[in-house]
Amino acid sequence: MTGLAFELRNVSRRFAIRRQLSEHLSSWFGYNQPKAVHALSDVSLKVSSGEVLGIVGESGCGKSTLARIMAGLVKPSEGEVYFEGQRVDELGERERVNAMLPAQLVFQNPFSSLNPRHRIRTILSQAALLHDLTQRNHVDEFVSSLLQSVGLPPSVSTRFAHEFSGGQLQRISLARSLSVSPRVLICDEPVSALDVSVQAQILNLLLELQTRQNLTYIIISHDLSVIRHLSDRVAVMYLGRVVEEGPAAALFENPQHPYTQALVRESLESAATRRLFKPIEGEIPSPINLPSGCGFHPRCPVSIDRCRLERPELRSFGPGRKVACHLVEADHSQQVTNGVK
Amino acid sequence: MSDSILAVESLTMGFDSKDGFVEIVRDVSFSVRPGEILGIVGESGSGKSLSAYSIMGLIDPPGRISAGKIWVGETNLLDLDEESMRELRGTRIAMIFQDPMMTLNPVLRIDTQMIEAVQSHFNITRRDAIARSAAALERVGISDPYSRLRSYPHELSGGMRQRIAIAIAVLNSADVIIADEPTTALDVTIQSQILYEVQRLCAERGTSAVWISHDLGVVSSLADRVCVMYAGQIVEQGPTEDVIASPRHPYTAGLLASTPGRGTPKKPLSQIRGSMPTPGSIPSGCAFRERCDFAQERCLDAPELRGATGEDRFVRCHFPFGENGASK
Amino acid sequence: MTTNAQTPQRLLSADLLAGFWSSKVAVIAAFVFVFMVVLALAAPWISPQDPYDLSQLNLLDSRLAPFEKGIDGTVYLLGTDQQGRDMFSAILHGLRISLFVAVVSSVTALVIGTSLGILSGMRRGWLDTVLMRIVDVQLSIPAVLVSLVLLAVLGRGIDKIIFALITVQWVYFARTARAATLVEMSKDYVEAAQSFGFSRTRIMFWELLPNVLPPLLVVAMVEFAHAIALEATLSFLGVGLPITEPSLGLLISTGFAYLQNGEYWISLFPGIALLLLVFNLNLVAEWFRESLDSRRR
């Protein structure tokens, strides 16, 4: 736990929606406001090095945008991003990508994240060659040791991506990320495209790599059981904001935000026996037209008038925990838990 | 078989290829009782979806069903011609897909599609058909059915589309719904909404369901009984709670043990080595033996799906766990 | 069930070739086409006469019907034209010129169109808008019209017709390349390449190009046939190649005046050659497109 790997201060990201000509015209006459997708709003996060931060949320919660900001692929619209103490959001694209090379993204879909027309050897060595992390005459040993570190035989290096199964491809994808000696791996849904029996293999590999190479992980998933298994600390996101944050065990045992409570209650575990579902109602709002006040209030079973009018701040609550809910703030969680259960 | 509403007997289907007939579903038998939800669990390539497509008569060449019988009541579906099969789809059995757009036509309004679905089976007026459609939407938890009826599929969210697909499936009071991973593409909170509606529907109307999923969590929370499929065969079958609590087949046990939610956080999960064999390269004897930690010489002979006396449990293994207290 | 649906394959895999050999139409069409290309390439050596060498022509032999004997006893297989030129030799050399014009223009158009198309799909923004509007406008005007106007301004000559053909053709490549690039850009390997700090040029040519190439090869084949036909049309209309470099189109055009005299062979045989070339090439292209599509499914 030496120092911070990442610090995000009030980071927001909006994506403009391509407009039709008619919309351009009407906005000239002041009829409608330019529309934007609010992918991420005012997110502040700290990640210590060596830590595993889990980020959980459903579609549209901004977790993939967050991953891409942390990997240096997307620039925030507002806010500051520090990577290992260096401010990176103000750098130009080139410098930003180079400065953030030690923070690598691992993609969800291994079938599309490897170029189908390159041999595995090329895929694994080209980034390292570009950044002088290996020499051309050492490529063979370099590739072999990478493959070995993800549990694949060196003989696969001459083959193409379509010759492998999903689990093997995800190993190769991991090896490619490792090829630039990263200190941080940002894993965007690392196992959700894989079969159940293969998921465990990749999760074990992730844990093993972390201890062996002392990596920092940011694990992004919709799957609570994956997050719970890997993470030290968890941030729950809803509609572009962090609504709850805290140590994994405490957060899952005693969730405070009504949304986290619903997620924990409704994530289905195979240990459970038959049960009756008690879903929260309503759909996830579109990130184009955000609800007023607390983003969760239209679906919240315990919302009060204040939730509609005023957005709750993410406030500290208990040791290392933060939650953004008026009700928790008002009366240390008693009210919320009573309301739901 | 008289008490079951749908019974599949020794179903075998596969594809004709240049290397001959490749079997994908191998000798699968199961039955569903009225009001029961049967879960079918398997990974990709296990043949679970193609079993469902076989029941619905949706297999196109080069695929074909080479053996078996599919009973709905007293009728063997495999004896029916295309016309009678179409009549049966929707009224006796209905299917919902992972992608609701398999059911919905993107260029037609919801009401047009639902009215057509009703009128193709029943001779009733448009007005009655609309009332019936609205009632079906209400049954799957859609609060303002008449306004939803007037919308196009693209105006609706994924969860809403899936509800409508389910509403169409139950529109003509089908006895059995066959569901192929209908909640896999949905978010957790939306998934539990759908599961809640299905559970309620089956309980209130006595509709049966065959629920196919790769997700043990979904199946174990929903199904009364479960079939576990591996490499085209059923390897274990029984009441859900029993199978989950004490799996007898090493594959079922391995799957359960490798689920991250069950292990201690940060500790390695037990894992099944290798991956599912592809159709055509399935090992002889027990299909699982190459990945099994307990495989012995006898596993070179293919095991039968055997039931223990006095129990509703079947397992395809020479050395099952926990039978009469014995273990490996 | 998701794994096998999207397995990408190598451009010329063994099963593509196996499929080729099992398709009779494709094999015959390709054979005829290759045969004609070989004939055209070998023209200087196999043609009985050099149609450009005026000293070898005898005006007394003009407009002889097929298989007729000339004044010095030589038999003209396909007859002669109004200058006493052996039609068989003229067709072989005409084929050569037609193919040369088509190859140069299609390949150049492929390079230009593909580069602009990939760039357009990668960069989006104003560049994309401008390029694609140009493409749209050009596609809405018939190709013959565009090239007619260009040649009317530029004048005649082999370089000018090649320029005109490139101007017409690059849009087809650009549009296909852009569409394929947009599909590829949504895949994660492009993002991975960006995160490794690869330059834009490298991503364009090293990562994207091999993946957008297959559909472009189909377009290239179709456009090759299109170029041959278009060049023939223009030459026939008299704005294409000069009379000193008679392509198939020009041969048809010169024979056209004699058609009504019953001297069919001067137009007919170059016409048949043109038809065979374009038709067979299109058959091969069609087979290629179908087999690529079916593999993608």
Side-chain angles (χ1 to χ4, degrees), chain A residues 52 58-59 195-197 200-201 204 225 229-230 232 266 268 270 274-275 277 280-284 299, chain B residues 43-44 157 160 187-189 191-193 196 199 214 223-224 244 264 266-269 271-272 274 291:
Chain A
V52 180
E58 297 179 283
S59 58
D195 268 327
V196 186
S197 74
Q201 299 173 3
N204 286 347
S225 55
H229 188 72
L230 294 177
D232 300 312
E266 285 163 36
L268 308 169
S270 48
R274 277 201 70 192
R275 50 185 243 159
F277 294 93
I280 46 169
E281 294 186 350
E283 302 190 19
I284 302 165
R299 302 176 74 191
Chain B
E43 300 177 86
S44 60
S157 68
M160 191 57 80
D187 281 314
V188 181
T189 55
Q191 165 172 286
S192 54
Q193 291 173 358
Y196 166 73
Q199 211 168 38
H214 71 283
D224 303 292
I244 300 291
T264 325
K266 298 269 180 188
K267 292 281 173 294
L269 297 163
Q271 61 185 52
I272 308 177
R291 300 176 73 187

Side-chain angles (χ1 to χ4, degrees), chain C residues 5 25 30 37 60 90 109 137 151 184 195 200 211 241 243 268 291:
Chain C
V25 177
V37 171
L60 292 173
V137 167
L151 287 172
E184 294 302 317
S195 79
R200 211 170 258 150
N211 289 293
L241 292 170
I243 198 78
L268 183 68
S291 49

